[in-house]
């Protein structure tokens, strides 16, 4: 049964029972350390955030898609993703990754949410009609185990596909063996903006974004191609272009 719910500037009709039942059947969630941290942090959300998702029938620990990025704070991550629910948007402006602003989104403490004009990475078990809720959130690191990918050649090798290659912002062409074995790794403080996801197929995406390297004070445009194999996303290509 559909319920009409007024949320900020939106009016939505949601079948909360069907949405909740979909999440109760379970969704496969990535088990990498960063995704584990998201799940753990979402189990201790502040009441306003928890209530928002609960009223829609969404299990916040089960996003349909989730990406994470470093922030200026060493113990915080920026998570970007989305959830699916059974319903329709009746009134209000929709958003997407390239049109994400205060007029079509809503801030709830450390979360910003918006109803998308796109529907991607949809499970075949979601009843129609499907409505997508995008979000971004600054999440503190709550796990005892610390993220070490930037300093671990083994973890970096697991993240990259066997045929990975990169057109670096320096003009060099790098391949997986060179990237994970011969390059000295370390933490680099960068600020990310203008992040966008472009689905190329059901299991391949192109990501584009801009970063600012705080050490070199250099802006660059970045793009990466990722493919999901057996539930694990691996990077197949990356390119960096300095902005002069």
């Amino acid at each position: 049964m559909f319920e009409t719910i007024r949320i900020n500037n939106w009016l939505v009709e949601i079948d909360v029972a069907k949405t909740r039942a979909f999440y109760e059947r379970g969704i496969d969630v990535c088990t990498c350390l960063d995704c584990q941290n998201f799940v753990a942090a979402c189990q201790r959300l502040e009441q306003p955030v928890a209530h928002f998702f609960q009223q829609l029938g969404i299990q916040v620990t089960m996003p349909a898609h989730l990406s994470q990025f470093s922030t200026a704070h060493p113990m915080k991550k920026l998570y970007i993703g989305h959830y699916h629910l059974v319903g329709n948007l009746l009134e209000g402006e929709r958003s997407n990754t390239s049109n994400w602003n205060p007029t079509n989104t809503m801030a709830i403490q450390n979360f910003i949410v918006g109803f998308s004009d796109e529907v991607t990475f949809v499970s075949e078990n979601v009843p129609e009609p499907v409505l997508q809720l995008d979000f971004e959130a600054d999440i503190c690191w709550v796990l005892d185990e610390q993220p070490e990918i930037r300093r671990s050649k083994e973890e970096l090798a697991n993240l990259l596909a066997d045929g990975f290659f990169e057109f670096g912002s320096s003009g060099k062409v790098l391949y997986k063996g060179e990237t994970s074995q011969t390059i000295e790794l370390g933490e680099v403080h960068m600020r990310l903006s203008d992040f966008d996801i472009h689905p190329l197929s059901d299991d391949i995406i192109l990501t584009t974004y801009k970063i600012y390297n705080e050490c070199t004070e250099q802006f660059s445009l970045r793009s990466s191609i990722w493919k999901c194999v057996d539930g694990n996303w691996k990077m197949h290509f990356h390119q960096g272009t300095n902005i002069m």
Side-chain angles (χ1 to χ4, degrees):
M1 179 181 297
F2 284 95
E3 303 176 29
T4 301
I5 305 173
R6 171 68 68 178
I7 304 172
N8 200 32
N9 296 323
W10 301 298
L11 183 65
V12 295
E13 59 173 10
I14 305 296
D15 192 322
V16 177
K18 284 187 176 180
T19 300
R20 186 174 293 120
F22 162 67
Y23 285 98
E24 287 176 350
R25 287 194 293 270
I27 300 175
D28 291 332
V29 179
C30 174
T31 58
C32 75
L33 197 60
D34 290 307
C35 290
Q36 288 182 44
N37 183 72
F38 178 83
V39 171
C42 285
Q43 292 171 346
R44 57 184 82 175
L45 291 175
E46 296 291 335
Q47 183 57 33
V49 182
H51 173 72
F52 171 78
F53 289 104
Q54 288 169 1
Q55 71 175 330
L56 299 175
I58 294 173
Q59 173 53 261
V60 69
T61 60
M62 298 181 180
H65 179 69
L66 185 66
S67 301
Q68 67 78 29
F69 304 91
S70 298
T71 69
H73 194 294
M75 294 305 292
K76 277 190 177 182
K77 294 281 187 177
L78 171 64
Y79 288 91
I80 297 175
H82 63 251
Y83 300 95
H84 293 128
L85 53 158
V86 183
N88 294 293
L89 179 64
L90 303 178
E91 294 179 10
E93 184 180 354
R94 292 178 182 263
S95 60
N96 56 51
T97 51
S98 59
N99 181 27
W100 185 264
N101 60 69
T103 66
N104 59 19
T105 61
M106 179 178 71
I108 317 170
Q109 295 191 338
N110 60 318
F111 275 74
I112 300 176
V113 299
F115 289 100
S116 177
D117 61 7
E118 303 172 330
V119 179
T120 58
F121 302 105
V122 183
S123 168
E124 61 183 12
N125 296 321
V126 185
E128 294 184 349
V130 180
L131 182 63
Q132 181 166 306
L133 180 72
D134 292 343
F135 73 89
E136 64 177 48
D138 286 319
I139 301 289
C140 291
W141 193 265
V142 299
L143 299 180
D144 292 334
E145 188 176 0
Q146 297 302 306
E148 296 290 338
I149 287 182
R150 282 192 175 273
R151 295 187 293 270
S152 169
K153 293 181 180 181
E154 179 180 356
E155 291 294 335
L156 178 60
N158 289 334
L159 187 68
L160 303 179
D162 290 340
F164 170 84
F165 67 102
E166 172 183 1
F167 294 158
S169 57
S170 64
K172 294 182 179 179
V173 180
L174 299 173
Y175 297 88
K176 179 177 180 177
E178 296 172 314
T179 303
S180 60
Q181 299 298 327
T182 65
I183 302 299
E184 290 300 321
L185 302 179
E187 290 190 356
V188 180
H189 293 280
M190 295 182 175
R191 296 202 301 266
L192 182 147
S193 63
D194 300 336
F195 180 83
D196 204 353
I197 296 175
H198 312 270
L200 303 180
S201 70
D202 290 341
D203 58 358
I204 300 175
I205 60 172
L206 167 69
T207 63
T208 56
Y209 51 97
K210 180 192 294 184
I211 63 170
Y212 175 69
N213 188 319
E214 296 180 353
C215 297
T216 62
E217 299 183 343
Q218 174 71 55
F219 284 96
S220 61
L221 298 175
R222 302 290 175 129
S223 62
S224 303
I225 295 177
W226 297 75
K227 183 175 182 180
C228 185
V229 178
D230 297 329
N232 296 312
W233 287 94
K234 289 184 179 289
M235 188 188 299
H236 285 249
F237 172 77
H238 180 78
Q239 180 169 0
T241 305
N242 286 334
I243 301 175
M244 308 305 294

